[in-house]
Amino acid sequence: MIKRNLVLGILFFLPVIFLLFLYPAKHNYTPLDNVKSSVLDLSNLPSLQNKEVAFKDKITVLSFFGSNPENHITEASNLKELVYDNFTGFKGFQMVSIFPIEAKEEAMRLQKELTKFKPLEYWEFVFASKEDINRLFSSFRTSKYLNSEGFVSEVYIIDKELHQRGRLDDRSKKEIENNAAIYPLTSYNASEVSVLKNKMSEDVRILFTEYRQKRKGEFNSDTRRAEDLKSN
């Protein structure tokens, strides 16, 4: 009897203790940086779902899948399982993938592959000319390049005010201790599971926390690293 009560007591109090450890830090997260302002918005571009798609007033995860998207099913599947499935249904969330206009059939086949078990209600497939795709891509802060098909494995976070979000300082704790040079994280490699799981998912979650605090009037913009490292 004593042993059973002891086990029940431990099972009851462990979650309470865990929550007490979390509580003091719940408002002390570090907001996600603005790494670039004034990203171009979409305008009057056709979508596979026949919707009007725009970045403004949405939290967007943007990818460029090029003219042969079926060659990049690994990146698309990673995004679905590690990002889309985690945030689908969150208010204001969308994923957008952009393709050249001539790749509509290829995009439809990719969509069919990704929707075997569930429709992609919050994932928009959008089409644009190569010139418009290049112009949109050029509005981001990035060290990457689109290949000849218009594909890049990197994906980008855009907030509701058309700011590109990321990390101005992406050093690990060990790198900081060793005084390594500061380097940013402005995009996330969709071919790397660890990046999507450990960095992008966390950063999107932080961005939702920021907007939730803004709605409640609790967000303090003075704490933003982007302001502390003015114009980097």
Side-chain angles (χ1 to χ4, degrees):
M1 177 66 72
I2 296 176
K3 185 176 180 181
R4 184 172 70 89
N5 290 339
L6 180 62
V7 171
L8 290 175
I10 291 172
L11 291 175
F12 176 79
F13 284 108
L14 270 180
V16 175
I17 294 171
F18 178 71
L19 289 175
L20 287 175
F21 274 113
L22 288 180
Y23 181 79
K26 71 176 183 178
H27 292 304
N28 295 329
Y29 78 100
T30 305
L32 197 60
D33 297 328
N34 279 353
V35 296
K36 176 73 162 52
S37 296
S38 303
V39 171
L40 289 180
D41 202 354
L42 301 179
S43 178
N44 300 317
L45 296 180
S47 76
L48 205 55
Q49 296 87 338
N50 295 316
K51 294 181 181 178
E52 291 186 8
V53 181
F55 300 145
K56 181 71 173 174
D57 299 324
K58 297 281 188 178
I59 292 175
T60 304
V61 172
L62 176 69
S63 54
F64 295 81
F65 271 104
S67 55
N68 291 295
E70 292 170 289
N71 292 342
H72 311 295
I73 186 64
T74 297
E75 289 86 349
S77 297
N78 287 345
L79 282 172
K80 180 184 181 301
E81 294 173 12
L82 300 172
V83 181
Y84 180 83
D85 286 349
N86 287 338
F87 297 101
T88 182
F90 277 51
K91 186 176 181 180
F93 173 76
Q94 66 177 357
M95 289 188 68
V96 176
S97 294
I98 191 162
F99 307 82
I101 292 173
E102 64 270 18
K104 186 172 183 179
E105 290 186 8
E106 290 84 353
M108 290 176 66
R109 289 197 293 268
L110 177 65
Q111 185 192 53
K112 185 177 181 180
E113 180 68 23
L114 294 173
T115 56
K116 284 182 177 180
F117 305 105
K118 188 177 181 180
L120 301 176
E121 184 178 354
Y122 302 98
W123 192 339
E124 312 293 345
F125 285 28
V126 177
F127 304 91
S129 67
K130 290 184 178 179
E131 293 77 12
D132 285 341
I133 292 174
N134 287 329
R135 189 158 46 247
L136 172 61
F137 186 78
S138 296
S139 72
F140 289 90
R141 177 181 174 181
T142 182
S143 60
K144 310 301 180 180
Y145 300 91
L146 295 174
N147 68 10
S148 59
E149 301 172 358
F151 167 79
V152 66
S153 61
E154 303 293 310
V155 292
Y156 301 84
I157 297 175
I158 309 167
D159 72 14
K160 296 182 180 184
E161 289 78 35
L162 304 180
H163 302 308
Q164 179 187 351
R165 294 297 195 98
R167 305 181 184 188
L168 291 175
D169 184 352
D170 191 41
R171 292 176 299 171
S172 65
K173 289 183 179 179
K174 186 174 181 180
E175 288 173 322
I176 293 173
E177 290 172 359
N178 293 332
N179 294 317
I182 294 175
Y183 59 88
L185 178 70
T186 62
S187 60
Y188 306 78
N189 193 330
S191 64
E192 296 187 16
V193 169
S194 61
V195 171
L196 297 184
K197 185 177 181 180
N198 300 324
K199 293 188 177 183
M200 187 169 212
S201 290
E202 175 66 15
D203 288 356
V204 172
R205 197 175 304 279
I206 286 171
L207 191 53
F208 273 109
T209 300
E210 176 183 322
Y211 279 105
R212 183 168 61 250
Q213 289 191 351
K214 284 179 177 178
R215 288 196 303 271
K216 294 179 178 180
E218 297 174 353
F219 180 70
N220 180 4
S221 61
D222 293 335
T223 65
R224 296 187 56 167
R225 289 173 292 176
E227 293 298 324
D228 295 337
L229 301 173
K230 289 182 180 178
S231 71
N232 196 30

